[in-house]
Amino acid sequence: MSKVKPYGSWKTPISAEKVASMKVGLSEIRIDGDYVYWLETRPSENGRTVLVRLGRQGTREDLTPEGFNVRSRVHEYGGGSYVVDGGTIFFTNFEDQRIYKLIPGKQPRPITPEGNYRYADFSFDEKRRLIWAICEDHTDENKEASNYLVSLNPDELAKHQIATRGHDFYSSPRLSPNGKKMAWVTWDHTNMPWDETQLHVASLSESGEIKNSKVIAGTDSESVTQPKWGPDGALYFISDKSNWWNLYRWSGGETDRFVAQEAEIGKPQWKFGMSTYDFISTSEIIFAFTKNGRWFLAKKELENGDIEMGQVPYTQISSVRAAGNKVWFIGGGPGNPRGVRRYHWENREVETLKLSTTMDLDQGYVSTPESIEFSSGEDETVHGFFYPPCNKEFDGPKREKPPLLVISHGGPTSATGDSFSYEIQFWTTRGFSVLDINYRGSTGFGREYREELKGEWGLVDVEDCVNGALQLVEEEKVDRDKLVIRGGSAGGYTTLAALTFKEVFDAGASYYGVSDPAALARDTHKFESRYLDSLIGPYPEEEDIYDARSPLKHADRVSCPVIFFQGTEDRVVPPNQAERMYDSIKERGIPTSYLTFEGEQHGFRKEESIKQAFEAELYFYSKIFDFTPGGEVEEIDIANLD
């Protein structure tokens, strides 16, 4: 028999320490001969990212020794941090952003000199013994960083050679199979890579000089991403010119829409090195696509083939790589944590090579998400995942409804999925309901849905979070007087805007969130320095709109408790954004807390930071809603609590 206890106070096997210690970030699968590689970001090692290799006999080994961190800072978000050729690895080390050469079993040695340069998105040129890469040049501290395409000598310590420049941003240098052509992607301010990009193709001389460059795709309102040369000599790429990020093929003169679906094969290029498709053989292509927030795996012949669906038990798929009728990817689902998987297409068998977290939780504690839709705006459909409270040991009082935690994801041009997450189960096992929302502007629902946020940031995202919460209240699933909103980065702005301009939520938590968009427009890094031009309007020309949507400028309208979490070394959203908002709320006598985390940047990576943040947030809610958390939780100072 389950016990009846107030919502929020249920005892659970998921502690904040477990959330922090058991989550390993997985990314960037690569295949080189008989070996498979991937990156693991480990909170237990202070957020260090380690390169891991899976050998012929299934043995797994760390390749980067202690003291090295495989992580690029190009665009601050990085990605595309390493390349492998014949067993030799070349990677960007986080601390100094130099490129290192690593022969397994030996100490890494640098191949780029010291300097204020950053590198990412590598391609190895076997024909010329060169590495092609994107370089971000920070040598002139008085000017905006420069980005360009470079080549490097992989065997000696030497400065890079600039191959082409002139655009604000570059990505995806990709060599044709015969090494005679190069493709790459560019874009310029005020565009982001999901707004408008251009796909270039050029010839390469014997020495690696770029010649006869031309743009083959990318026009007004077209985002092109992930170019990749096929075994048939054609160039494949993803474009959203049809409203959906679909696969296209360029064969030297003509371009055709190779996979035509009302679904998304692409993702927004926040990081380098994304891969949602690959060639499984000389005649077949494998690709992942998403529809209504869930991902699928499919295969198609390069010549006139029908689409064949893969049979995998995962609804979230990324980092797709293929070889020898096998597919490697990072996959997860409601009952499956994210993990590195290997799928044998012929016999439909799935192997798990590494999990992001150990799934040792009894199903009686697992809340299964429900994919929901609700109306917002002018009767527009918005998407999300709803998690009811779940704990086999407890029920809430009959006449009470559970509190609701609305999660607004970052980006804001990102998306949330339904993979098993200890972060969400941390709340549901305690008696909270959770609404993880893909508000208008999220990726995965077509370009038109994504562009609903253009000029409307701080309005439609807030409206969707509010209407999602009120819909659940109307359905009598949650307590109208215990509605909470939380989010990080751009999701932190949505959180603060909702608490400032709407009187719906009763508490909130902002993780490194934006409180003053005008300050962000003035202070942030190059990659996002003009992002707000499309989300709000040109700055400073539209400064009045920025002020009108600034939670900080209207902090006197906040009437409910808020807790802030901030990394001291955050260069995307500087700490003064949280500090000023916190001071304003504190001065007005509203319960509030502000926690800083030394050495953390934009997003927490250290085990201790993650643990402390989850415990502090739970403790904060327990004092605001007057319940006693199950298990030990470290107390924090809450200003104005009395």
Side-chain angles (χ1 to χ4, degrees), residues 105-383:
K106 297 184 178 180
Q107 192 72 4
R109 64 176 181 83
I111 63 167
T112 54
E114 294 181 353
N116 209 355
Y117 300 100
R118 304 173 182 181
Y119 301 95
D121 214 2
F122 308 114
S123 287
F124 197 88
D125 187 343
E126 295 182 1
K127 181 178 179 180
R128 299 171 186 82
R129 288 295 298 174
L130 291 173
I131 295 173
W132 298 90
I134 304 304
C135 176
E136 190 171 86
D137 182 343
H138 290 259
T139 53
D140 190 338
E141 296 181 357
N142 297 315
K143 293 182 179 179
E144 183 178 70
S146 298
N147 294 64
Y148 38 74
L149 177 59
V150 301
S151 61
L152 303 115
N153 187 326
D155 301 315
E156 298 178 3
L157 180 62
K159 187 179 178 182
H160 59 253
Q161 299 296 314
I162 298 176
T164 183
R165 65 190 309 170
H167 291 278
D168 290 321
F169 301 99
Y170 289 79
S171 77
S172 312
R174 301 294 181 258
L175 287 160
S176 62
N178 60 13
K180 293 182 178 181
K181 292 184 181 296
M182 169 84 80
W184 68 92
V185 173
T186 65
W187 66 98
D188 295 293
H189 290 314
T190 59
N191 290 307
M192 299 300 285
W194 44 87
D195 294 327
E196 180 183 320
T197 60
Q198 290 77 46
L199 176 58
H200 302 249
V201 173
S203 299
L204 288 180
S205 69
E206 289 298 315
S207 61
E209 182 182 359
I210 291 177
K211 295 183 175 182
N212 305 319
S213 172
K214 62 180 179 180
V215 175
I216 65 162
T219 58
D220 291 345
S221 300
E222 180 183 0
S223 169
V224 178
T225 183
Q226 293 189 52
K228 192 175 294 187
W229 296 90
D232 55 355
L235 179 63
Y236 293 75
F237 60 92
I238 294 171
S239 167
D240 67 355
K241 65 188 298 183
S242 70
N243 181 50
W244 303 95
W245 265 318
N246 280 185
L247 263 172
Y248 288 75
R249 175 172 57 187
W250 179 77
S251 302
E254 297 183 358
T255 300
D256 65 289
R257 189 175 170 195
F258 181 68
V259 175
Q261 290 185 321
E262 290 190 354
E264 304 259 59
I265 299 172
K267 294 183 176 182
Q269 189 178 288
W270 280 100
K271 293 185 176 183
F272 295 101
M274 294 187 307
S275 180
T276 53
Y277 74 96
D278 203 359
F279 302 95
I280 196 169
S281 69
T282 57
S283 61
E284 295 173 310
I285 193 170
I286 192 87
F287 62 94
F289 66 91
T290 181
K291 201 165 188 175
N292 295 329
R294 289 187 163 121
W295 283 81
F296 305 87
L297 199 63
K299 183 173 74 168
K300 183 180 179 181
E301 292 183 5
L302 299 184
E303 295 299 331
N304 304 318
D306 294 329
I307 292 176
E308 179 186 343
M309 297 298 296
Q311 305 298 316
V312 296
Y314 310 111
T315 54
Q316 303 299 313
I317 296 172
S318 62
S319 200
V320 175
R321 300 288 178 178
N325 216 34
K326 299 182 183 69
V327 186
W328 288 260
F329 60 91
I330 296 171
N336 295 285
R338 294 174 74 249
V340 178
R341 320 285 185 174
R342 178 166 54 202
Y343 180 55
H344 299 253
W345 198 277
E346 288 182 346
N347 59 22
R348 310 298 200 201
E349 288 185 0
V350 179
E351 297 176 78
T352 297
L353 309 177
K354 170 68 179 182
L355 286 174
S356 61
T357 184
T358 303
M359 182 64 178
D360 59 355
L361 193 65
D362 186 293
Q363 287 299 309
Y365 296 104
V366 178
S367 178
T368 301
E370 172 192 353
S371 179
I372 67 169
E373 296 179 348
F374 57 90
S375 293
S376 189
E378 297 181 1
D379 201 28
E380 297 175 82
T381 301
V382 179
H383 310 267

Side-chain angles (χ1 to χ4, degrees), residues 14-30:
I14 304 177
S15 63
E17 183 177 11
K18 187 167 189 174
V19 172
S21 65
M22 298 190 68
K23 181 184 177 183
V24 174
L26 301 172
S27 61
E28 296 194 44
I29 296 175
R30 301 283 186 271

Side-chain angles (χ1 to χ4, degrees), residues 264 268 382-383 409-410 412-416 437-453:
E264 304 259 59
V382 179
H383 310 267
H409 65 68
T413 314
S414 186
T416 189
I437 187 170
N438 278 315
Y439 48 77
R440 284 172 288 166
S442 302
T443 294
F445 304 91
R447 186 181 181 105
E448 292 176 3
Y449 190 83
R450 194 167 74 241
E451 292 194 336
E452 290 274 356
L453 203 59

Side-chain angles (χ1 to χ4, degrees), residues 48-62:
R48 184 170 80 100
T49 299
V50 179
L51 179 63
V52 178
R53 182 175 72 176
L54 183 74
R56 296 180 181 88
Q57 307 302 319
T59 55
R60 199 167 66 225
E61 58 181 326
D62 293 353

